[in-house]
Amino acid sequence: MPRKAVLPIAAGLALVAAVLTIPTASAGQSLAAPDISVANVQAHLNQFQTIANNNGGNRAHGRPGYKASVDWVKAKLDAAGWTTSVRTFTTSGATGYNLIADWPGGDANNVLMAGAHLDSVSAGPGINDNGSGSAGLLEVALAVSRAQARPTKHLRFGWWGAEELGLVGSTAYVNSLSTTDRAKIKGYLNFDMTGSPNPAYFVYSSSGQPTGSSALQSALEEHFRNIGVPTETTSVGGRSDHAAFARSGIPVGGLFSGAEGRKTAAQAQKWGGTANAAFDPCYHRSCDRTTNINATALDRHSDAIAYSIWKLAGI
Ligand code: DPN
Ligand code: ZN
């Protein structure tokens, strides 16, 4: 065989091999959840930081940095094949925006939702609160696309506006749904603060919630058990967007690495970090920048988002 022909044949075989190893799935088959690249999540956080830097230092409701954040996340989702829509609402004299993304396919009567608030407070860029959850969820959305996943359930992700003004965006979204469409949402996972610098590993408790919520809690706990990281449950209360869903009787779950609360000595024993110090000393402050992130916590939480979605949606 002439030497010249070797390279094209080798290249052709490599191409065939590459095509064969693309991790696609058909409904019913399950794939292992991907290991989410923390470098990719951090790159999204850098983007949120840049957006804040270019827009007066924040990404708050009614400020240009918020809409710029929506536009940037939307473009990434659109390029990955998600079907996106921007839904507006009005609060505090300004237009608010929720970004909703649907992954085509799955059982339309059996919807798994996941969400993160994309707005910051006006005091700062909101990189841990809640660039972290927003960026992790975005990277998981991109992983769904890379896998060309075919979940049994229909997957829908939301990036909420005006959470910091009282869960306004998520509440507007839930209220905008017909009773029928609301009933199709079988579970909602919330990711608000997942990279706290002195991190906790809190999983929302299913106690006191509708039947089905314990599956959400268990899926999240299972990931941390698999990687040998102990978790504690936290009572869900009303401090983030899951509350809008819980009020409608939708089972909710979520993760939280801690805000202004202080790490106890026992928690420092099991999680490392600093006892008697806040989980996030920059909570709602101007120093909630990219420097205010524990990369290990961000990595573990982002992997947990993927794990729970793969498991609960039936990928
Ligand atoms: N709601 C969060 C904030 O944006 O300020 C903080 C938080 C999240 C507190 C989850 C408790 C639980
Ligand atoms: Zn928050």
Side-chain angles (χ1 to χ4, degrees):
M1 193 179 292
R3 271 194 75 161
K4 270 198 292 191
V6 173
L7 203 64
I9 290 170
L13 285 175
L15 186 66
V16 169
V19 167
L20 289 176
T21 53
I22 288 174
T24 53
S26 52
Q29 279 181 300
S30 63
L31 287 174
D35 184 354
I36 297 300
S37 156
V38 72
N40 288 1
V41 181
Q42 287 170 312
H44 304 330
L45 292 181
N46 289 338
Q47 188 65 38
F48 292 142
Q49 181 71 58
T50 300
I51 287 171
N53 294 349
N54 293 341
N55 289 282
N58 67 58
R59 302 181 304 103
H61 169 75
R63 309 290 184 89
Y66 180 69
K67 184 58 166 41
S69 300
V70 171
D71 292 345
W72 184 78
V73 174
K74 182 179 187 298
K76 300 286 276 186
L77 294 166
D78 288 340
W82 286 73
T83 303
T84 61
S85 67
V86 175
R87 319 273 180 98
T88 60
F89 56 90
T90 304
T91 193
S92 300
T95 303
Y97 307 88
N98 290 325
L99 172 61
I100 305 296
D102 286 271
W103 182 243
D107 180 356
N109 292 316
N110 201 347
V111 178
L112 176 68
M113 277 200 79
H117 76 85
L118 188 53
D119 64 315
S120 71
V121 290
S122 55
I127 298 303
N128 187 34
D129 182 15
N130 182 32
S132 60
S134 292
L137 191 62
L138 171 59
E139 190 55 28
V140 171
L142 301 181
V144 166
S145 168
R146 281 183 210 113
Q148 286 296 299
R150 300 207 170 280
T152 311
K153 290 187 187 155
H154 178 76
L155 258 188
R156 183 180 301 148
F157 290 179
W159 283 262
W160 312 118
E163 186 271 353
E164 297 291 4
L165 302 183
L167 323 180
V168 181
S170 53
T171 303
Y173 172 75
V174 172
N175 290 346
S176 76
L177 298 174
S178 66
T179 311
T180 316
D181 284 342
R182 218 176 290 153
K184 293 176 181 170
I185 304 173
K186 304 304 182 193
Y188 171 77
L189 293 165
N190 194 58
F191 302 107
D192 186 359
M193 304 184 73
T194 58
S196 302
N198 185 27
Y201 293 88
F202 293 125
V203 176
Y204 294 8
S205 167
S206 63
S207 75
Q209 285 198 56
T211 319
S213 314
S214 64
L216 307 183
Q217 181 187 332
S218 300
L220 291 162
E221 286 172 341
E222 200 169 278
H223 171 74
F224 288 103
R225 197 177 320 117
N226 289 345
I227 62 168
V229 173
T231 56
E232 289 183 10
T233 55
T234 184
S235 73
V236 284
R239 281 188 66 183
S240 189
D241 298 297
H242 59 279
F245 290 81
R247 280 183 208 123
S248 290
I250 297 168
V252 303
L255 298 175
F256 178 43
S257 59
E260 77 286 1
R262 283 168 188 273
K263 191 176 268 186
T264 65
Q267 289 170 332
Q269 276 283 318
K270 63 178 160 187
W271 291 327
T274 313
N276 305 314
F279 299 113
D280 181 357
C282 288
Y283 175 62
H284 285 184
R285 298 176 60 198
S286 61
C287 57
D288 184 11
R289 307 175 56 81
T290 46
T291 45
N292 189 47
I293 290 286
N294 179 298
T296 302
L298 185 71
D299 190 12
R300 291 168 172 172
H301 281 91
S302 301
D303 289 342
I305 298 173
Y307 185 91
S308 60
I309 285 167
W310 252 248
K311 175 150 187 148
L312 294 165
I315 297 181

